[in-house]
Amino acid sequence: LFLAGDAGHIVPPTGAKGLNLAATDVKYLSGALIEHYQQKSDHGIDTYSERCLKRIWKAERFADGHVLLVCAGSLPPALRPDARGVFERGEPGFLVETRPGAGGIVGISHVANAKPDGYTVGASPNSPMVFHQLTHKSLPYDPKRMVPITMVTTQPLVLGVRGDFPGDSMADLIARAKANPGGVHYASQGIGGGNHMAALLLAKHAGTTMNHVPYQGAVPGVQAMLKSEVDFYMAPLASVLPWYRQGQLKMFGVGSPTRHPDVPEVPTFRELGYPEEFILTVWTCLVGPAGTPPEIAAAIAGMFRRAYADPATFARARALGSDPGGWTPEETRAYIAREFATWERVARENNIEKQ
């Protein structure tokens, strides 16, 4: 491979012996060359450094429109506008493959075993990256070695309450729980999951005990509230919102940092006097296998950040009940670490056993 420099000079990169290039490779090399020569020094003809060549190969060549996005479960609805927004900007998008099973373990295991070249990334909800570590004795992957890339979407947990509950506020719920220890029942999607842990956190700060009733999935938990089989459910906002708007369910608190635009009349847990750890969310992040280079993670995160900067893409994601992310890899890594620290403590305090 020879690269043409200024004034027609031919400058071979260090150790170059010849490479087979696809048309897309030539496109990205050409773009990088332009950038390189725009930034070159005043020394006349500059050599194309090995460092710059590696940057192209690792950060730009992968982005040829064929990044495999493995969803650890069903395809999150918000990923559809994300991908469409990336395509509409003329940037590479994603080939989506769903690999459900074992609460996301199957999909994330596949990503963990992929080559760390940016061509395979995973869409992971909370459980594979946080909660499974607290409930499983062993996993076929190490969540702490996965490389966080970006937060795709977040969605607050809300305290949904059965429509015929004799009260209209968090204070009423807590008062009833204290007057009848164990007499207030709450739904969850299973022991050690996010809904269960959030309810345990609430009970601890309220200084009372409540009765846990696990269900298989979010929909059965909502149905249990509608049938008055349970009193409340710490559920994702989108799961409760339609029934709340129809007056069939109540909502006493929301886990967003500030009042949520979909339910501005509902106070946040922080407003109700609960600490910062009551910023409670369900989320979907992108992760890569261990060893994914930082420049690749940053490049993929940049695609989502630019897509969300488009008002139409942002609005589509919001319309599906999610709050768009587009965070940097560093922000995503820090958030996951804080989540794990909080829920690891809650699991320990409540003697959640690993199976």
Side-chain angles (χ1 to χ4, degrees), residues 166-247:
D168 295 299
S169 69
M170 179 74 82
D172 293 332
L173 177 68
I174 299 305
R176 185 177 179 85
K178 288 183 174 180
N180 303 277
V184 169
H185 305 273
Y186 65 90
S188 86
Q189 293 178 239
I191 295 173
N195 320 96
H196 181 209
M197 296 287 205
L200 290 173
L201 188 66
L202 176 66
K204 180 194 173 184
H205 282 277
T208 187
T209 58
M210 305 177 190
N211 186 47
H212 178 214
V213 184
Y215 290 85
Q216 294 295 317
V219 173
V222 173
Q223 291 175 338
M225 281 196 297
L226 291 169
K227 296 175 183 178
S228 296
E229 295 175 355
V230 296
D231 295 295
F232 75 92
Y233 179 25
M234 297 289 275
L237 173 60
S239 299
V240 175
L241 189 58
W243 310 107
Y244 169 72
R245 285 176 170 167
Q246 293 175 23

Side-chain angles (χ1 to χ4, degrees), residues 30-253:
S30 300
L33 271 174
I34 293 170
E35 176 186 346
H36 170 73
Y37 279 108
Q38 286 175 339
Q39 297 176 355
K40 76 181 183 65
S41 66
D42 295 328
H43 295 302
I45 297 171
D46 205 346
T47 59
Y48 193 74
S49 69
E50 221 171 316
R51 179 183 178 192
C52 191
L53 182 62
K54 288 179 180 177
R55 182 180 63 78
I56 294 171
W57 228 245
K58 291 183 178 180
E60 287 155 340
R61 180 181 178 273
F62 88 93
D64 60 3
H66 300 287
V67 179
L68 178 63
L69 174 59
V70 178
C71 289
S74 59
L75 175 63
L79 281 176
R80 288 194 281 268
D82 292 355
R84 186 153 39 119
V86 171
F87 275 121
E88 286 172 352
R89 289 184 56 82
E91 299 192 60
F94 300 91
L95 300 177
V96 178
E97 176 181 318
T98 57
R99 285 181 176 255
I105 291 175
V106 172
I108 296 304
S109 296
H110 177 78
V111 175
N113 292 319
K115 292 176 64 175
D117 56 7
Y119 281 101
T120 303
V121 298
S124 175
N126 312 46
S127 292
M129 291 299 293
V130 174
F131 293 109
H132 287 339
Q133 301 174 72
L134 309 177
T135 57
H136 291 68
K137 291 181 179 178
S138 64
L139 291 169
Y141 64 94
D142 184 353
K144 291 184 172 62
R145 296 193 68 229
M146 302 298 289
V147 176
I149 294 174
T150 190
M151 192 63 71
V152 180
T153 58
T154 62
Q155 183 181 165
L157 287 179
V158 299
L159 197 151
V161 182
R162 60 184 172 92
D164 58 353
F165 181 81
D168 295 299
S169 69
M170 179 74 82
D172 293 332
L173 177 68
I174 299 305
R176 185 177 179 85
K178 288 183 174 180
N180 303 277
V184 169
H185 305 273
Y186 65 90
S188 86
Q189 293 178 239
I191 295 173
N195 320 96
H196 181 209
M197 296 287 205
L200 290 173
L201 188 66
L202 176 66
K204 180 194 173 184
H205 282 277
T208 187
T209 58
M210 305 177 190
N211 186 47
H212 178 214
V213 184
Y215 290 85
Q216 294 295 317
V219 173
V222 173
Q223 291 175 338
M225 281 196 297
L226 291 169
K227 296 175 183 178
S228 296
E229 295 175 355
V230 296
D231 295 295
F232 75 92
Y233 179 25
M234 297 289 275
L237 173 60
S239 299
V240 175
L241 189 58
W243 310 107
Y244 169 72
R245 285 176 170 167
Q246 293 175 23
Q248 297 185 53
L249 293 176
K250 300 178 181 181
M251 198 180 296
F252 289 173

